[in-house]
């Protein structure tokens, strides 16, 4: 027996009534790394028909009644567990794809439950790193912050200004070079210290992952 255990935006948890609750759960064994659905062997998504029972209608906020205020809007997704014979198959997001009411007034909700891995992938499909909110890491571009980053004192080590030779602009005669020897323009010469403009910030991979997951309201453990 299949059970959809869903949570609406009001925090109400309900085991929804399902038509054909002995339908098989489809499996997908493709790899998300290869740009195809599914990260590991498991269910990717499944479509279910839910009858318009009192329990389902109350949970969805009587969406079939256009004059009602729904607890779950058509364009929203809600957390949902798919269980079969009491065992969880996968956890994902439930989307309402259609609401059908026949001539006798019987309502059926067509829903799609998408595995969280798949949902996560498609939420990020068209997102660039530059579009994420990096404002938490704003800081002044100064010697003090550059050197502080070397001892994990800039955002607790999330931002570091590494010693990297990025080269110098063509024709530049004032910037020191990344060479040793103590000669003119060697950066170990006290008269030719490296300039602020020769440093570029680097960000920890974990900080990037945190921003990626936060942007789509997901959490991870590692």
């Amino acid at each position: 027996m299949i059970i959809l255990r869903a949570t609406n935006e009001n925090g109400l948890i309900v085991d929804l009534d399902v038509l054909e609750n002995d339908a098989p759960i489809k499996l997908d064994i493709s790899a998300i790394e290869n740009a195809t659905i599914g990260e590991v062997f498991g269910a990717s998504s499944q479509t279910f028909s839910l009858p318009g029972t009192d329990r389902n209608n109350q949970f969805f906020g009587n969406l079939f009644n256009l004059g009602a205020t729904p607890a779950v809007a058509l364009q929203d997704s809600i957390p949902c567990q798919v269980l079969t014979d009491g065992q969880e198959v996968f956890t994902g997001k439930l989307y309402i794809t259609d609401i059908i009411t026949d001539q006798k007034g019987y309502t059926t909700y067509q829903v799609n439950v998408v595995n969280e891995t798949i949902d996560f992938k498609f939420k990020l499909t068209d997102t660039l790193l530059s579009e994420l909110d990096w404002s938490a890491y704003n800081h002044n571009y100064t010697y003090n912050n550059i050197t502080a980053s070397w001892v994990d004192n800039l955002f607790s080590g999330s931002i570091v200004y590494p010693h990297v030779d990025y080269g110098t602009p063509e024709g530049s005669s004032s910037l020191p070079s990344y060479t040793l020897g103590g000669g003119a323009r060697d950066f170990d010469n006290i008269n030719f210290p490296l300039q602020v403009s020769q440093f570029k910030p680097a960000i920890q991979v974990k900080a990037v992952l945190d921003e990626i997951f936060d942007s789509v309201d997901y959490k991870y453990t590692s």
Side-chain angles (χ1 to χ4, degrees), residues 1-216:
M1 174 180 289
I2 294 175
I3 295 175
L4 300 186
R5 183 164 294 161
T7 306
N8 71 8
E9 63 180 20
N10 298 322
L12 179 66
I13 301 175
V14 171
D15 288 348
L16 300 172
D17 298 318
V18 181
L19 291 172
E20 301 177 354
N21 57 20
D22 58 350
I25 300 296
K26 299 176 182 178
L27 295 178
D28 191 308
I29 58 174
S30 54
I32 198 170
E33 292 86 352
N34 294 329
T36 54
I37 292 178
E39 182 182 25
V40 294
F41 186 92
S44 56
S45 67
Q46 187 90 12
T47 299
F48 299 93
S49 296
L50 311 183
T53 60
D54 290 342
R55 176 188 300 179
N56 288 351
N57 288 338
Q58 181 179 5
F59 178 81
F60 289 121
N62 298 307
L63 266 176
F64 66 90
N65 181 355
L66 295 180
T69 300
V72 180
L74 279 172
Q75 68 271 22
D76 291 342
S77 66
I78 56 175
C80 181
Q81 289 177 291
V82 177
L83 302 99
T84 180
D85 296 330
Q87 300 296 315
E88 180 182 316
V89 179
F90 68 93
T91 299
K93 298 294 182 68
L94 181 150
Y95 299 81
I96 298 176
T97 58
D98 201 3
I99 300 172
I100 302 170
T101 301
D102 64 18
Q103 293 178 341
K104 296 182 180 181
Y106 295 112
T107 298
T108 301
Y109 300 94
Q110 298 292 335
V111 303
N112 194 31
V113 182
V114 182
N115 183 295
E116 287 189 337
T117 301
I118 312 305
D119 182 65
F120 177 75
K121 174 193 172 183
F122 283 105
K123 280 189 173 183
L124 292 174
T125 296
D126 298 318
T127 303
L128 302 176
L129 284 178
S130 60
E131 296 173 336
L132 301 181
D133 182 8
W134 301 106
S135 60
Y137 298 101
N138 288 349
H139 60 279
N140 292 325
Y141 191 31
T142 63
Y143 276 123
N144 285 340
N145 281 332
I146 290 170
T147 55
S149 77
W150 300 342
V151 289
D152 293 341
N153 282 341
L154 188 61
F155 301 106
S156 301
S158 293
I159 300 294
V160 177
Y161 283 85
H163 277 288
V164 175
D165 183 3
Y166 298 104
T168 55
E170 186 176 356
S172 173
S173 59
S174 59
L175 292 177
S177 63
Y178 252 93
T179 55
L180 297 171
R185 295 184 63 200
D186 291 341
F187 80 95
D188 61 342
N189 185 324
I190 192 172
N191 296 313
F192 294 91
L194 293 172
Q195 303 299 300
V196 169
S197 61
Q198 292 181 273
F199 290 93
K200 299 181 186 297
I203 186 168
Q204 278 190 341
V205 172
K206 181 183 181 301
V208 176
L209 288 175
D210 288 345
E211 292 300 326
I212 291 173
F213 277 78
D214 287 347
S215 71
V216 290

